[in-house]
Amino acid sequence: MARKVAGFDEDDLRALAGARSFERGLGYLDAVSGLEVGEGSVTAVVHGTDVYEVELTLGAAEGISGWCNCPYGQEANFCKHCVAVGLTVLRRAKTIPRQRAAARARVSGLEAWLSALPRDELLALVREQVAEDRELRRRLELRAATARSDLSTVRDRIIALIDPRPFARYGYIEYADASGYARQVAEAASALRALTADGQAAQAVGLAEEAIRVLGEAYGEIDDSDGVVGEAAAAVAEAHLGACGVACPDPARLAEWLVGTVLDDSNDVTDLDPLDYAEVLGPSGLARMRQLAAEALRRRPSGWAERYLMERLVKAEGDVDALVAVHAQDLDPSGATHLLIAEELETAGRADEALAWAERGLRDCAAETYIDGRLVEHVCVQYAKMGRAADAVTVRRDRFRVERSLAAYQQLRSAARAAECWEAERVAALAALREDARRERGGRYGGPVLIDALLDDGDADAAWREAEGIADGRQWEHLADLSRETHPAEALAVYLRLVERLKEPTGDRAYEHLARLLLGARDCHRALGTQEAYTEHLAGLRAELKRRRKLMSILDRYGL
């Protein structure tokens, strides 16, 4: 087993990149230059179609991860350039420990030097860096303004930090720039927390709300595949909650802001939960929020956000009747909402009402081709618990009349067997499926459900009688598979007919299918004692299709 260097080996690189990128990375070993080994990372450039920057992050527990500014790498992939740099590190295994030790020494030395600098020299160094690094200057200006409670400057700096335009080179923030933008948003969150700590919580509340608005408007134009901007925005939302806890803003105004933000279709960057603010809102704020949510739901009864908010509020209050009323305003035609209401009532210990709602769902949706299967199952389970097996059969029969699928047939069979009435139900169900077949109502896979039902019952004889002229190839093959021992001649005829159909299609899937059919035909010939005819047929088939080398190899693998 290969020894790991810096916590990884070639197998790790192959697993991260995939076989194709790994193999392509081998061709870029001579294109790696400027390799710099740090304590926890490695950076380098790789010369390809362009010059690409690569950074590998090395963690003992987390393993290795990579970033590259090539187009494929910017889509969060471990690209061939990352592979090339990783392989270069492995090929320099003997020098890596020394280089990482040197990196640690440099960090330690820098820390010691900075700590020993006189104040004037340290200030001069900071001023020099601030003059050269605009991002650093902005961060320090924000911290300085926060420290002296210069609210005008703090606001300007926070708004500048969350402004996406400097990162949106083409009108949106690309994956490669998202982490830089996220760092600035996180810096803004830190500034908001500092404002609260410095006794300016009310100002922090207002600034946080403005920041959340800007982030919400910008988020749709950000490639946040790694979720780093979302995490930073969540930190801004947490800073807002913390500031509210200290400032205790007007409950009604806070409720209005929360409802407006949660229901704003353009603001999906922060997953605000209004109930996190329950203590700050108090009874009056919660009442105002519920009032606003109810008004919003009346304006847009089918609105997902409106309904979800109202459900959260009434559920938190433990008001089951109000929750039922919210759900009942927009009943899904599949019966899913009826089931949701039934489950809420059952959880509340109101079993009779729960069953009544579930039964209402079956009545309301009786004519629908699709009904939520969980609702039907829920009612049948409740009937079984109550010893109402006949009622369960009625439910399954009603659904079978509408749906006419193999699954509905199987469910009817299960319920009828439990009620000891399957024989009579089966006669009626098969008669209905026979009429469907006559009218050419096909099954899910093309052939009539009648044949699938008979095959599922294991009634091969009846399936043979019904199949002629209506069964599709899949059903014929299934029938032959079931019957090759009991009806080898009939099964053989099916296999040979299907083999003829598969002479034209190409590809591994078709060839594997052809081999399975030939195996079935071989079993039939053995049962009939006609192995010579099989050998002759197979030889002719191989001669006819001999140019298909992949088919020949597959037949060889099956011993055909």
Side-chain angles (χ1 to χ4, degrees), residues 412-426:
L412 173 60
R413 182 178 62 200
S414 177
R417 282 177 173 169
E420 299 181 350
C421 61
W422 174 230
E423 185 175 346
E425 290 292 336
R426 182 174 188 259

Side-chain angles (χ1 to χ4, degrees), residues 294-314:
E295 291 172 358
L297 188 59
R298 280 195 294 272
R299 287 193 300 271
R300 196 165 68 160
S302 60
W304 180 89
E306 286 82 355
R307 205 164 77 228
Y308 177 74
L309 174 60
M310 194 64 183
E311 288 170 9
R312 291 278 293 128
L313 293 173
V314 298

Side-chain angles (χ1 to χ4, degrees), residues 313-330:
L313 293 173
V314 298
K315 197 165 186 175
E317 295 172 4
D319 190 341
V320 177
D321 291 320
L323 185 58
V324 169
V326 171
H327 290 315
Q329 288 183 38
D330 188 27

Side-chain angles (χ1 to χ4, degrees), residues 89 133 172 214 236 257 280-281 299 311 361 396 493 511 536 540:
V89 171
D133 189 332
Y172 60 93
V214 173
V236 172
W257 180 83
V280 181
L281 289 164
R299 287 193 300 271
E311 288 170 9
R396 295 299 189 186
Y511 295 156
E536 182 179 343

Side-chain angles (χ1 to χ4, degrees), residues 66-362:
W67 175 87
C68 178
N69 65 346
C70 75
Y72 189 59
Q74 289 184 34
E75 294 177 0
N77 296 299
F78 197 89
C79 65
K80 60 190 178 184
H81 308 113
C82 291
V83 171
V85 174
L87 291 172
T88 301
V89 171
L90 294 177
R91 280 155 178 71
R92 300 183 186 181
K94 293 182 179 179
T95 67
I96 296 302
R98 176 176 54 79
Q99 289 178 282
R100 296 186 77 176
R104 286 193 293 271
R106 289 195 300 271
V107 171
S108 177
L110 177 60
E111 179 66 27
W113 176 69
L114 288 172
S115 299
L117 279 179
R119 181 177 181 277
D120 291 344
E121 290 185 33
L122 187 59
L123 286 173
L125 178 62
V126 171
R127 292 189 185 104
E128 178 185 335
Q129 295 303 309
V130 165
E132 296 177 358
D133 189 332
R134 186 173 64 176
E135 184 178 337
L136 175 62
R137 185 185 76 246
R138 285 180 172 177
R139 291 204 302 269
L140 293 180
E141 285 174 348
L142 176 57
R143 293 187 182 185
T146 303
R148 65 177 186 271
S149 299
D150 181 353
L151 298 180
S152 176
T153 301
V154 169
R155 181 191 177 281
D156 290 345
R157 290 299 88 206
I158 287 179
I159 296 303
L161 284 171
I162 60 174
D163 184 358
R165 288 175 297 181
F167 294 86
R169 290 178 289 179
Y170 305 104
Y172 60 93
I173 298 179
E174 297 179 306
Y175 172 81
D177 298 315
S179 58
Y181 180 59
R183 283 194 294 272
Q184 289 200 179
V185 174
E187 183 73 20
S190 298
L192 292 168
R193 290 193 296 269
L195 269 181
T196 300
D198 289 344
Q200 303 291 336
Q203 289 74 14
V205 169
L207 283 173
E209 291 175 1
E210 188 170 357
I212 289 170
R213 178 187 60 77
V214 173
L215 286 167
E217 293 172 353
Y219 196 62
E221 302 298 327
I222 300 173
D223 182 354
D224 191 27
S225 299
D226 289 344
V228 290
V229 177
E231 290 178 7
V236 172
E238 289 172 7
H240 177 263
L241 176 59
C244 287
V246 175
C248 297
D250 176 66
R253 195 212 68 82
L254 177 58
E256 291 163 6
W257 180 83
L258 285 169
V259 171
T261 302
V262 170
L263 300 184
D264 185 354
D265 292 336
S266 67
N267 193 348
D268 59 355
V269 63
T270 53
D271 190 17
L272 279 176
D273 186 349
L275 294 179
D276 289 341
Y277 292 77
E279 188 174 338
V280 181
L281 289 164
S284 63
L286 288 170
R288 177 58 176 157
M289 188 155 59
R290 179 164 174 179
Q291 177 190 3
L292 293 168
E295 291 172 358
L297 188 59
R298 280 195 294 272
R299 287 193 300 271
R300 196 165 68 160
S302 60
W304 180 89
E306 286 82 355
R307 205 164 77 228
Y308 177 74
L309 174 60
M310 194 64 183
E311 288 170 9
R312 291 278 293 128
L313 293 173
V314 298
K315 197 165 186 175
E317 295 172 4
D319 190 341
V320 177
D321 291 320
L323 185 58
V324 169
V326 171
H327 290 315
Q329 288 183 38
D330 188 27
L331 295 171
D332 192 280
S334 71
T337 320
H338 296 81
L339 175 62
L340 191 61
I341 292 172
E343 289 173 338
E344 292 289 353
L345 289 167
E346 191 165 320
T347 301
R350 295 158 63 173
D352 291 344
E353 294 174 75
L355 180 57
W357 262 101
E359 291 172 328
R360 173 182 164 181
L362 294 183

